[in-house]
Amino acid sequence: MKQLGIIGAGRIGRVHAESISRMAAAAVKTLADPFMSPEIEKWAAQLGVDKCVKDYKEIIADPAIDGVLICSPTDTHADISLEAIAAGKHVFCEKPVSQKLDEILAVKKALAASPNIKYLVGFNRRFDHNFKAARAAVEQGKVGEQHIVRITSRDPGPPPIEYIKVSGGLFMDMTIHDFDMLRYLTGSEVDEVFVRAANKVDPAIGQAGDIDTAVITLTMKNSVIAIIENSRKAAYGYDQRVEVFGSKGMVSIGNDAPSTAVISTEDGVTGEKPLHFFLERYMDAYVQEARDFVTAIENDTPVPVGIEDGLQSVLIAMACALSHKESRAVKMSEIG
Amino acid sequence: MKQLGIIGAGRIGRVHAESISRMAAAAVKTLADPFMSPEIEKWAAQLGVDKCVKDYKEIIADPAIDGVLICSPTDTHADISLEAIAAGKHVFCEKPVSQKLDEILAVKKALAASPNIKYLVGFNRRFDHNFKAARAAVEQGKVGEQHIVRITSRDPGPPPIEYIKVSGGLFMDMTIHDFDMLRYLTGSEVDEVFVRAANKVDPAIGQAGDIDTAVITLTMKNSVIAIIENSRKAAYGYDQRVEVFGSKGMVSIGNDAPSTAVISTEDGVTGEKPLHFFLERYMDAYVQEARDFVTAIENDTPVPVGIEDGLQSVLIAMACALSHKESRAVKMSEIG
Amino acid sequence: MKQLGIIGAGRIGRVHAESISRMAAAAVKTLADPFMSPEIEKWAAQLGVDKCVKDYKEIIADPAIDGVLICSPTDTHADISLEAIAAGKHVFCEKPVSQKLDEILAVKKALAASPNIKYLVGFNRRFDHNFKAARAAVEQGKVGEQHIVRITSRDPGPPPIEYIKVSGGLFMDMTIHDFDMLRYLTGSEVDEVFVRAANKVDPAIGQAGDIDTAVITLTMKNSVIAIIENSRKAAYGYDQRVEVFGSKGMVSIGNDAPSTAVISTEDGVTGEKPLHFFLERYMDAYVQEARDFVTAIENDTPVPVGIEDGLQSVLIAMACALSHKESRAVKMSEIG
Amino acid sequence: MKQLGIIGAGRIGRVHAESISRMAAAAVKTLADPFMSPEIEKWAAQLGVDKCVKDYKEIIADPAIDGVLICSPTDTHADISLEAIAAGKHVFCEKPVSQKLDEILAVKKALAASPNIKYLVGFNRRFDHNFKAARAAVEQGKVGEQHIVRITSRDPGPPPIEYIKVSGGLFMDMTIHDFDMLRYLTGSEVDEVFVRAANKVDPAIGQAGDIDTAVITLTMKNSVIAIIENSRKAAYGYDQRVEVFGSKGMVSIGNDAPSTAVISTEDGVTGEKPLHFFLERYMDAYVQEARDFVTAIENDTPVPVGIEDGLQSVLIAMACALSHKESRAVKMSEIG
C-alpha cells in the first residue's frame, strides 16, 4: 500500500484526501497545512489519515511516504515540487505548476535528472467521462481528420477579487484548463494565438487589471483551427462543452445536470441547469485522477499528464496574454 | 459510530459494504456469508471490515452491533429479519421482504411490538436523483392534480433461468420496484390492476412458467390511472423512465448515460445508450440508501421506506399474478 | 387535370381547398356549404375555386367533377358517400365515416360493387413525417419483432361542450386516430381491449356523459401489446408521441415545436412547447393527404387508407366504449 | 393584386415563383430567362404565370408590373437593379447585390433618389423560424447584455469548382449570410475582423484560389465578441446553429431534421441528420421572404432587410478577405 502525504487542506486537498481514503492501494499518511485546525484534524481522523501537521517539510522528510499531493497556493507549487523530487517522492501537483516560466523549467530539469519520479499535473478534465468520450471518438476515427475544435468554458460566477488579483489572470487561472484540453483533443501543439477579450462581467475585475470574457483563435501545428470561448459568469451555471469537427463528422459533448427531469407546462419545456461548478461537475474526475496517480506509482507506468503538459499550457497562457496586450496574433515561437 | 453487520457477501452486499466503509458515522463490524472465501476476506479487510464469518448468527448475537443489512437470498429475508428484530437490531432488508404474505405479516407484527427498531426496505430507486426529481416536481405542484402516471422499466437482458425459477415471477422480482415507485410518486395505494403479459424474450422463460413482457394498468385509490411497461430485455440497455401527467403539466425523467457525447456523421446523430444495468445506474442511489439507514438510526428518525411499503408492493405483485392468471381486472381487496 | 368538389367549407374543408389550389394535377371546381357566405366566396375566388354553392348535390350532379372531399358534419358522411359513389365519383371522406356501424357497412358494400372508385378516409396522421418515420423504422426491421407499442395522444384543450355532445364520445372522436395509427404501425388487427377512463379535465364533460382521460390496453392479433394514453387537455400543448419497442430496439417519435430555440437562464434550460394543435401540427400531412388522393385518382392506384380502415377504427371505438361501460376486457369478436 | 416579374428561372427563381403563385395579394405576370425552355414554360403555366420571355427587359418595360425579383447570376444583379429602379419598380434582389463595391454604392445612390422604391435583399435566414426565435429571445431581454455570439454555418458539401471560381470566394458567397445574421442578432456593426482559414475539404478549391474552412473573430461596435465557424462540407449535413450568450443567459438554436424519430438499438441512440441543404432547410423562410416583399409594397412599409444590409455584408466579406490575405486583424474602417 502506497503511503501519501497531502500538502494543503483546502477544498481540493480535502477532495483528494477523500478519494485516497477510499482506495485499497494507497493511504494518506500525513496531511499538512499551516492553518491546521481541530476541525480538520477531526475530519482527517475519520478518513483514516494517520497524522496532521502544520509544516509540509515533515512530509518531505518522512522516508515512509512514497508520494505527495501538492494542493497549496500556486506560488508554492514549484518549490515544494523541487523539494519533493529531491527527496525522491512522486508528485501530484495541482495546476498550474507555476505562473513563472523559469520555475516550471527548473522542475522539468529536476525531473529529467530523476527519471523514476512520477509527476502528475492536475488537469482534472482529462479524467472526466465526457471529455474522455470526446477523445475516444476522435481516436476511433469518428470525426476523421480534425478541421475545427471548439471549447466553450464558462464559470457560474467569478472568484473573489482578492483571488483574481493573485490568479495570474484569466488565461493562467481559468483558460489553462482549456489549453490543456485542446492539446489533449488534437494531439498537437499550438502554433499561434489570437485573443479578443474584455471586462464585461464585473467592473472590479477590470480594475484589478484582468478580463472576464475571451474568445481565442488558436492555430495548431497540425493545422487544426481552434476556438476557446471563456466567461467568468454564465447565469445558467458551469458550462463545459466541446465540439470536434472534421472530415467525417463531429463529436460534441454537453453538460452534466443534476437529473434528467424535464417539466412541461404552459410556460415551456424546462430541463435542469448544468451541475453548478467544478466540485460537483468533476468529482468523479478528481477521484479518477488520484487513482491514476497511485496506479502510475504502483505499476511504474507513465502518468497520463505530466510536466510537459504543465509547461505548454503555461506557455500558451503567456502567448494569449501577449496577444491581448498587443492586440495581435502571437506565434508560440515568440514565447519562452 | 454505529456498528453494522452485513449478511450476504454477494453483489449487493458488497455494494453496501463499500458504501458504509466510506461513512464517518458507521462501520461494518462483521460480514457473514456461508460461502465466505479468502478472496472476500481480503477484499473486506481492505475496506476496513473487522471480521468475516460464515454464520450470520454471529452478527445477530453480537451485542456491539447496532444494525444489520440483510443481503442474503430472498427466502431467508423474513426469518433473519425476525431474529434481528428479536435481538433489538435495526434492519436494512433487501427487497422483497418475502414472497410469502404470512412471512411479511409476521415481520410487520414483530415491528409493531418493537417500535424503536428501524426497518428499511431496499427500494433503491426512491434514493435515485432522477426519481427524486420527479417526485419533487410533483410535490412542488408542477403537474397539478395527477391524471396519468407511466413507468417504463426494462432490463437489458433476463437473468439466468435458474434465477427466474426461484424469483417469484416477473411481478415479484422485477415489477415490484415499479409498484413501489408508483406508490411513491402518487402518494396513493393501488385499487385495481389489469395485466396483459407474454413470453416474448426467451422461450425458456415461458417454459419456466414465467413471462418477460408486461403491460399493467393500475387504478389508484386517488383515481390516478397508471401504466407500467416491463420487458426483461431492451436491446439498447437498462430503460428506466417515468412520466407523471396532470392538470398543470407533466414531469418526465429519462435515462442516465455514460457520457453526453453525441457523434454526428453521415449515418445520423448518435448518442450513448443508457447506463447498462442497475449497479451502474443506481450506484449513487445505493450509497444514499445506506446513508439514510445510518442517519435514521443515528437521529432516531423514521426510515424513508419501511415494512408497509414492503408489504404493499408484494400484495400488488400478487394481484398482478392473479390478473394474469385469470385474465381479468383484479381488485386489491381480493388479495391478502 | 382532375376536377374536384369540396363539400363543407369549415376549417378542414378550407385546408383541403388550399392544398388542392396549389396542385398542378387538380383544381377545386366547386365548393358547397349550406352556410355559404360572401366572405367564403371571396376567399374561394382568390384560391381559384370556380364556383361556390349551397347545395352539395350540385357537386354530385356535375359530370365534370372527378372526385369529392366530404368535409361536412360526421352524421352526413355516409349518406353523401353513398350518393357520390352512386354518381361514380372518387371520395375523400373525413374521419369517421360514420358513428353507426350499419352506415359504414353500407358504404363498404357500395364500394365493393364499384371497384374503380377510390375511397380515402382522412386519417391524416398516416401522412405525417414523424409517424411515417416510425413506420419506416419498423419496416426496415430496426425494432425487430414488435413487443409493446405505446401511443400518447393528448389535446391542448377540450372542444366546446356542444361539440362533445354530438362527438360520439372520446373513443369515436379522438382516440379513433390512435386506433388507426396502432393498426398502421403494427400491421395487425386488434383482438381485445381494456379501458380505464375518467372525467378529470372538466366536470361538464362528465355531465355530458363523456370521459376526457383514458388509458387503453389493446392486444393485437399478432400478440403485440399496445397502450393508448389520452387526455383532452395537456397544459403544455398538443402531445403526439409514439414508441414502438421490440426485440432489436425501439423507435420513438416526439413532438414538433415552433423552433429549436433553447433558452438557458438561472431559471433552467427551456425549450418551446409543442406546436399548438392539429392544424399547426399536421398542416404538411393534410397537404400530403390531399395530394395522395389526387395521385391515386390520376394513376389508378390504391388509396393508402380506405374503407376497411374506417370500419376497423370504428369497431375498436365501439369495443372501448363497451369495455368502459362494463368495466371489463372486451374481445373484438363481441362487436359488430 | 400586385403584378410581379421574376428574372431568372433557376432554382431560386422557381422557388419564388411557387411562393408568389400561392399568394392572394400578388401574381407572377412574367418570368424571364435567356434559357427559357418549353419545360419551364409548361411548369410556369401550371403555376398561373402569365407570360414567359427570354429578355428580362420586357419585364422592366412593362408598366403593369409593380415589382421584380432578381434571381439572375450575381454579376447582373446591380445593373438590373438600376434598370428596375429607373423604371420605378420595387426590387427583391438575391444576395449578394454585387461583389463590387462601386456597383452596390450605385444602387444605394439610385435608391436614395427614389425613396418610394422598396428594395429587399434576399437574406433568407432572417425569415427563418429558428433565427427569428433567437432574435426574439434577445429582444425580450432573455440573454441580457450580449457578450459572445457564435454562428456555426457548414454546408453539406462544396459547390462545383466552376461555381467556386466565380463565387467571389467563401466570404462573399457563403459567409455573407453569417455576416448579415450577426448584424441582425447583435443590432450592431462590425468593427474589426480576424480570420484563420484553410483549404481542408478539397484540394481543387485551394487550386481555384479559395478556402473552404474558416474561423472568424469579429468585434462589434457595441463590443460584442463574435465567432463565425464555416466549412464547405459537414459529413452529417447542413449545420446552421447560433448561440447568443450574455449577462442573463443564453439562447441557442439547433438544426431542423426530417423527423423527430429516435432509434435506440444495441448500437446507440440515433436521431436524424439535419435537413440536407438550404432548399429543404429554408423553404418556409423563402415563402415568408417573398410574402414580406409583397406586404411591404402593398402597405408601403419598410422592407425588413435592405440595401444597407446588402452593402455592410459585402464590406465585411472584403475585410475578411484582406484579413486572410495579410494574416492580421483588419478594421472595418480600412475598407471601402
Side-chain angles (χ1 to χ4, degrees):
Chain A
M1 188 184 277
K2 298 297 164 186
Q3 298 297 323
L4 304 177
I6 297 181
I7 298 171
R11 203 161 44 175
I12 198 66
R14 274 179 275 180
V15 165
H16 293 316
E18 299 221 5
S19 297
I20 293 164
S21 75
R22 293 176 195 171
M23 292 181 204
V28 182
K29 188 173 177 211
T30 311
L31 173 67
D33 197 296
F35 302 101
M36 185 56 64
S37 67
E39 288 72 27
I40 297 176
E41 283 177 357
K42 189 183 162 195
W43 163 87
Q46 282 178 345
L47 280 186
V49 172
D50 256 25
K51 208 164 113 184
C52 285
V53 301
K54 291 203 171 184
D55 187 351
Y56 76 88
K57 287 184 191 284
E58 293 194 39
I59 289 175
I60 302 292
D62 183 345
I65 286 181
D66 301 290
V68 303
L69 293 91
I70 304 177
C71 309
S72 50
T74 295
D75 58 2
T76 68
H77 287 180
D79 282 349
I80 300 179
S81 289
L82 290 172
E83 292 177 60
I85 294 165
K89 302 203 183 313
H90 302 292
V91 178
F92 175 128
C93 184
E94 277 301 325
K95 66 91 214 168
V97 175
S98 169
Q99 295 171 13
K100 294 178 189 159
L101 193 52
D102 57 348
E103 289 192 348
I104 307 174
L105 292 173
V107 173
K108 189 178 170 185
K109 196 175 159 194
L111 287 167
S114 303
N116 294 328
I117 299 284
K118 308 296 171 191
Y119 192 89
L120 188 148
V121 178
F123 284 119
N124 54 291
R125 293 183 199 170
R126 291 199 184 205
F127 303 87
D128 173 70
H129 64 141
N130 289 342
F131 289 97
K132 273 184 181 170
R135 161 107 174 215
V138 165
E139 284 178 343
Q140 290 156 15
K142 297 286 174 68
V143 305
E145 184 197 331
Q146 295 182 48
H147 291 177
I148 298 175
V149 175
R150 172 165 33 84
I151 298 178
T152 299
S153 176
R154 299 166 183 159
D155 283 356
I161 279 297
E162 292 316 306
Y163 177 85
I164 292 270
K165 284 178 182 167
V166 299
S167 69
L170 184 85
F171 305 124
M172 190 68 81
D173 179 58
M174 179 177 164
T175 327
I176 200 162
H177 282 289
D178 307 312
F179 299 141
D180 184 64
M181 185 45 56
L182 188 55
R183 296 175 61 251
Y184 174 67
L185 290 171
T186 62
S188 182
E189 297 297 341
V190 172
D191 183 55
E192 185 209 76
V193 304
F194 177 82
V195 168
R196 274 296 165 263
N199 169 223
K200 288 173 177 291
V201 169
D202 183 350
I205 293 173
Q207 285 153 20
D210 204 359
I211 38 112
D212 49 39
T213 303
V215 169
I216 311 171
T217 306
L218 307 99
T219 313
M220 307 302 290
K221 291 210 163 130
N222 67 358
S223 95
V224 169
I225 308 175
I227 306 157
I228 295 171
E229 297 179 280
N230 281 157
S231 172
R232 281 285 194 188
K233 181 174 169 53
Y236 50 88
Y238 199 37
D239 194 357
Q240 299 279 296
R241 288 174 290 153
V242 157
E243 202 172 285
V244 181
F245 171 80
S247 58
K248 290 192 182 165
M250 171 170 74
V251 59
S252 51
I253 59 167
N255 292 304
D256 287 350
S259 85
T260 59
V262 174
I263 297 175
S264 301
T265 69
E266 59 181 358
D267 296 326
V269 176
T270 301
E272 299 226 33
K273 292 185 287 182
L275 285 170
H276 180 63
F277 209 176
F278 62 94
L279 284 182
E280 296 88 353
R281 173 68 183 81
Y282 291 121
M283 189 47 73
D284 288 345
Y286 289 123
V287 172
Q288 191 56 51
E289 184 183 44
R291 200 174 289 155
D292 280 18
F293 176 57
V294 170
T295 301
I297 297 175
E298 265 197 310
N299 301 349
D300 192 14
T301 49
V303 291
V305 47
I307 186 66
E308 187 63 25
D309 303 299
L311 172 63
Q312 289 302 325
S313 53
V314 165
L315 289 171
I316 304 168
M318 288 172 170
C320 286
L322 184 61
S323 172
H324 176 57
K325 186 179 165 204
E326 304 195 347
S327 194
R328 62 172 180 92
V330 168
K331 286 274 178 191
M332 286 303 295
S333 55
E334 300 180 47
I335 307 297
Chain B
M1 188 184 277
K2 298 298 164 187
Q3 298 297 323
L4 304 177
I6 296 180
I7 298 171
R11 203 160 44 174
I12 198 67
R14 274 179 276 180
V15 165
H16 293 317
E18 300 222 2
S19 298
I20 293 163
S21 75
R22 292 175 196 173
M23 292 180 203
V28 183
K29 189 176 176 208
T30 311
L31 173 68
D33 197 296
F35 301 101
M36 185 56 64
S37 67
E39 287 72 28
I40 296 176
E41 284 177 355
K42 189 183 162 196
W43 163 87
Q46 281 178 343
L47 280 186
V49 172
D50 256 24
K51 207 163 114 183
C52 286
V53 301
K54 291 202 172 185
D55 187 351
Y56 75 88
K57 288 184 192 283
E58 293 194 39
I59 289 175
I60 303 292
D62 184 346
I65 285 181
D66 301 291
V68 304
L69 293 91
I70 304 177
C71 309
S72 50
T74 296
D75 60 1
T76 68
H77 287 180
D79 283 349
I80 301 179
S81 290
L82 291 172
E83 292 178 60
I85 294 164
K89 303 204 183 308
H90 302 292
V91 178
F92 175 128
C93 184
E94 275 303 325
K95 65 90 216 170
V97 174
S98 169
Q99 295 171 14
K100 295 178 189 159
L101 193 53
D102 56 348
E103 290 192 347
I104 307 175
L105 292 172
V107 173
K108 189 179 170 186
K109 195 174 160 194
L111 287 167
S114 304
N116 294 327
I117 299 284
K118 309 295 171 192
Y119 192 87
L120 188 148
V121 178
F123 284 120
N124 55 291
R125 293 182 199 171
R126 291 200 184 204
F127 303 87
D128 173 69
H129 63 140
N130 289 342
F131 289 98
K132 274 183 181 170
R135 161 106 174 216
V138 165
E139 285 178 341
Q140 290 155 15
K142 297 285 174 66
V143 306
E145 185 197 330
Q146 295 181 49
H147 292 176
I148 298 175
V149 174
R150 173 167 30 85
I151 298 178
T152 300
S153 175
R154 300 166 183 158
D155 283 356
I161 279 297
E162 292 316 307
Y163 178 86
I164 293 269
K165 285 178 182 166
V166 299
S167 69
L170 185 84
F171 306 124
M172 190 68 80
D173 179 57
M174 179 177 164
T175 327
I176 200 162
H177 282 290
D178 307 313
F179 299 141
D180 183 65
M181 185 45 56
L182 188 55
R183 297 175 62 251
Y184 173 69
L185 290 171
T186 62
S188 182
E189 297 297 341
V190 171
D191 182 56
E192 185 209 77
V193 304
F194 177 81
V195 168
R196 273 296 165 263
N199 169 223
K200 289 174 176 288
V201 170
D202 182 351
I205 293 172
Q207 285 153 20
D210 203 359
I211 37 114
D212 48 40
T213 302
V215 168
I216 311 171
T217 306
L218 306 99
T219 313
M220 307 303 290
K221 291 210 162 128
N222 66 359
S223 94
V224 169
I225 308 174
I227 308 156
I228 295 172
E229 298 178 279
N230 282 158
S231 172
R232 280 286 194 189
K233 180 173 170 53
Y236 50 87
Y238 199 38
D239 193 357
Q240 298 280 294
R241 287 174 291 152
V242 157
E243 201 171 286
V244 181
F245 171 80
S247 58
K248 290 192 183 166
M250 171 171 74
V251 59
S252 51
I253 60 168
N255 291 305
D256 287 349
S259 84
T260 60
V262 174
I263 297 175
S264 301
T265 68
E266 61 181 356
D267 297 326
V269 175
T270 302
E272 298 225 34
K273 291 186 288 182
L275 285 170
H276 180 64
F277 210 176
F278 62 94
L279 284 182
E280 296 88 354
R281 174 67 184 80
Y282 292 120
M283 190 48 73
D284 289 345
Y286 288 123
V287 172
Q288 190 59 49
E289 185 183 44
R291 201 174 287 156
D292 279 19
F293 177 57
V294 170
T295 301
I297 298 176
E298 265 197 308
N299 302 348
D300 192 15
T301 49
V303 290
V305 49
I307 186 66
E308 187 63 25
D309 303 299
L311 172 62
Q312 290 302 325
S313 53
V314 166
L315 289 171
I316 305 168
M318 288 172 170
C320 286
L322 184 61
S323 172
H324 175 58
K325 187 178 165 203
E326 303 193 349
S327 194
R328 63 173 180 93
V330 168
K331 287 274 178 190
M332 286 303 295
S333 54
E334 299 180 49
I335 307 298
Chain C
M1 189 184 275
K2 299 299 165 187
Q3 298 296 325
L4 303 177
I6 295 180
I7 297 171
R11 204 161 42 174
I12 197 68
R14 275 179 275 180
V15 164
H16 293 316
E18 300 221 6
S19 296
I20 294 163
S21 76
R22 291 175 195 174
M23 292 180 203
V28 181
K29 191 176 174 207
T30 310
L31 174 66
D33 197 298
F35 301 101
M36 185 57 62
S37 67
E39 287 71 29
I40 298 176
E41 285 178 355
K42 192 184 159 194
W43 164 85
Q46 281 177 345
L47 280 186
V49 171
D50 256 23
K51 211 164 110 182
C52 285
V53 301
K54 291 202 171 184
D55 188 352
Y56 76 88
K57 288 183 188 284
E58 291 193 43
I59 288 174
I60 303 292
D62 184 345
I65 285 180
D66 301 293
V68 303
L69 293 92
I70 304 177
C71 309
S72 50
T74 294
D75 60 2
T76 69
H77 287 179
D79 282 350
I80 301 178
S81 289
L82 290 171
E83 292 177 61
I85 294 164
K89 301 203 184 312
H90 302 293
V91 178
F92 175 128
C93 184
E94 276 301 326
K95 66 91 217 169
V97 174
S98 170
Q99 294 172 13
K100 294 177 186 160
L101 193 52
D102 57 348
E103 289 192 349
I104 307 175
L105 291 172
V107 173
K108 189 179 170 185
K109 195 174 161 194
L111 286 167
S114 303
N116 294 327
I117 299 284
K118 308 296 173 192
Y119 192 88
L120 188 149
V121 178
F123 284 119
N124 54 291
R125 292 181 199 173
R126 290 199 185 206
F127 303 87
D128 172 70
H129 63 142
N130 289 342
F131 289 98
K132 274 183 179 170
R135 161 107 173 215
V138 166
E139 285 177 341
Q140 289 156 16
K142 297 286 174 67
V143 306
E145 184 197 332
Q146 295 180 50
H147 291 176
I148 299 176
V149 175
R150 172 165 32 85
I151 298 178
T152 300
S153 175
R154 299 167 183 159
D155 283 356
I161 278 297
E162 291 315 305
Y163 177 86
I164 293 268
K165 285 178 182 167
V166 299
S167 70
L170 184 85
F171 305 125
M172 190 67 80
D173 179 58
M174 179 177 163
T175 327
I176 199 162
H177 282 290
D178 306 313
F179 299 141
D180 183 64
M181 184 46 56
L182 188 56
R183 296 176 61 252
Y184 173 68
L185 289 172
T186 61
S188 182
E189 298 297 342
V190 171
D191 183 55
E192 186 209 76
V193 304
F194 177 82
V195 168
R196 273 296 165 263
N199 169 222
K200 289 173 176 288
V201 170
D202 182 352
I205 293 173
Q207 285 153 22
D210 204 359
I211 37 112
D212 48 39
T213 304
V215 167
I216 311 170
T217 306
L218 307 98
T219 313
M220 307 303 290
K221 291 210 163 131
N222 65 359
S223 95
V224 169
I225 308 175
I227 308 156
I228 295 172
E229 298 178 279
N230 282 158
S231 173
R232 281 285 194 188
K233 181 171 169 54
Y236 51 86
Y238 199 37
D239 193 357
Q240 300 278 295
R241 288 174 290 153
V242 157
E243 203 171 285
V244 182
F245 171 80
S247 59
K248 290 192 181 165
M250 171 171 73
V251 58
S252 51
I253 59 169
N255 291 304
D256 287 349
S259 85
T260 58
V262 174
I263 296 175
S264 301
T265 68
E266 59 182 357
D267 296 326
V269 175
T270 301
E272 299 227 33
K273 290 185 291 183
L275 285 170
H276 180 64
F277 210 176
F278 61 94
L279 284 182
E280 296 88 354
R281 173 67 184 79
Y282 291 122
M283 188 49 72
D284 288 346
Y286 288 124
V287 172
Q288 190 58 48
E289 184 184 45
R291 201 173 285 155
D292 279 17
F293 177 55
V294 170
T295 301
I297 298 175
E298 264 196 310
N299 302 349
D300 193 15
T301 48
V303 291
V305 48
I307 186 66
E308 188 62 25
D309 302 301
L311 173 61
Q312 290 303 325
S313 52
V314 166
L315 290 171
I316 304 168
M318 289 171 170
C320 286
L322 184 60
S323 172
H324 176 57
K325 188 178 162 203
E326 303 194 347
S327 194
R328 64 173 179 91
V330 168
K331 286 272 178 191
M332 285 303 295
S333 55
E334 299 181 48
I335 308 297
Chain D
M1 189 184 276
K2 299 299 165 186
Q3 299 297 324
L4 304 176
I6 296 180
I7 297 171
R11 203 160 44 173
I12 198 66
R14 274 180 276 180
V15 165
H16 293 317
E18 300 222 5
S19 297
I20 294 164
S21 75
R22 291 175 196 175
M23 292 181 203
V28 182
K29 190 176 174 207
T30 311
L31 174 66
D33 197 297
F35 301 102
M36 185 57 64
S37 68
E39 287 72 28
I40 296 176
E41 285 178 354
K42 190 183 161 196
W43 164 87
Q46 282 178 345
L47 280 187
V49 172
D50 256 23
K51 213 164 108 181
C52 285
V53 301
K54 292 203 170 182
D55 188 351
Y56 76 89
K57 289 183 189 283
E58 291 195 41
I59 288 175
I60 304 291
D62 184 344
I65 285 180
D66 300 293
V68 303
L69 293 92
I70 304 177
C71 309
S72 50
T74 295
D75 59 2
T76 68
H77 287 179
D79 282 350
I80 301 179
S81 288
L82 290 172
E83 291 178 61
I85 294 165
K89 303 202 183 314
H90 302 293
V91 177
F92 176 128
C93 185
E94 276 302 326
K95 66 91 216 168
V97 174
S98 170
Q99 294 172 13
K100 294 176 187 161
L101 193 52
D102 57 348
E103 289 192 348
I104 307 175
L105 292 173
V107 173
K108 188 179 171 186
K109 194 174 160 195
L111 286 167
S114 303
N116 294 328
I117 298 285
K118 308 296 173 194
Y119 192 89
L120 188 148
V121 178
F123 284 119
N124 54 290
R125 292 181 200 172
R126 290 198 186 206
F127 303 87
D128 173 70
H129 63 141
N130 289 342
F131 289 98
K132 274 183 179 170
R135 161 107 172 215
V138 165
E139 285 178 341
Q140 289 156 15
K142 297 285 174 68
V143 306
E145 184 197 332
Q146 295 180 50
H147 292 177
I148 298 176
V149 175
R150 172 165 32 85
I151 298 177
T152 300
S153 176
R154 299 167 183 160
D155 284 356
I161 278 297
E162 292 315 306
Y163 177 87
I164 293 268
K165 284 179 182 166
V166 299
S167 68
L170 184 85
F171 305 124
M172 189 68 81
D173 179 58
M174 179 177 163
T175 327
I176 198 161
H177 282 290
D178 307 312
F179 299 141
D180 184 64
M181 185 46 56
L182 188 55
R183 295 176 62 252
Y184 173 69
L185 290 172
T186 61
S188 182
E189 298 297 341
V190 171
D191 182 56
E192 185 209 76
V193 304
F194 177 81
V195 169
R196 272 297 165 263
N199 169 223
K200 288 174 176 289
V201 170
D202 182 352
I205 292 173
Q207 285 152 21
D210 204 359
I211 38 113
D212 48 39
T213 302
V215 168
I216 311 171
T217 306
L218 306 98
T219 314
M220 307 303 289
K221 290 210 163 130
N222 66 359
S223 93
V224 169
I225 308 175
I227 308 156
I228 296 171
E229 298 179 279
N230 282 157
S231 172
R232 282 285 194 189
K233 181 171 170 53
Y236 51 87
Y238 199 36
D239 193 358
Q240 300 277 295
R241 288 173 290 153
V242 157
E243 202 171 285
V244 181
F245 171 80
S247 57
K248 289 192 182 165
M250 170 171 75
V251 58
S252 51
I253 59 169
N255 291 304
D256 286 349
S259 84
T260 58
V262 173
I263 297 174
S264 302
T265 68
E266 60 182 355
D267 297 325
V269 176
T270 302
E272 298 227 33
K273 290 185 291 183
L275 285 170
H276 180 63
F277 210 176
F278 62 94
L279 284 182
E280 296 87 355
R281 173 67 184 80
Y282 291 121
M283 188 49 71
D284 289 345
Y286 289 124
V287 172
Q288 191 57 49
E289 183 183 46
R291 201 173 285 155
D292 279 18
F293 177 56
V294 169
T295 301
I297 297 176
E298 265 197 309
N299 302 349
D300 193 14
T301 47
V303 290
V305 49
I307 186 67
E308 188 62 26
D309 303 300
L311 172 61
Q312 289 303 325
S313 53
V314 166
L315 289 172
I316 305 168
M318 288 172 170
C320 285
L322 184 61
S323 172
H324 176 57
K325 188 179 163 203
E326 303 195 347
S327 195
R328 64 175 179 91
V330 168
K331 287 272 177 190
M332 285 304 295
S333 55
E334 300 180 47
I335 307 297

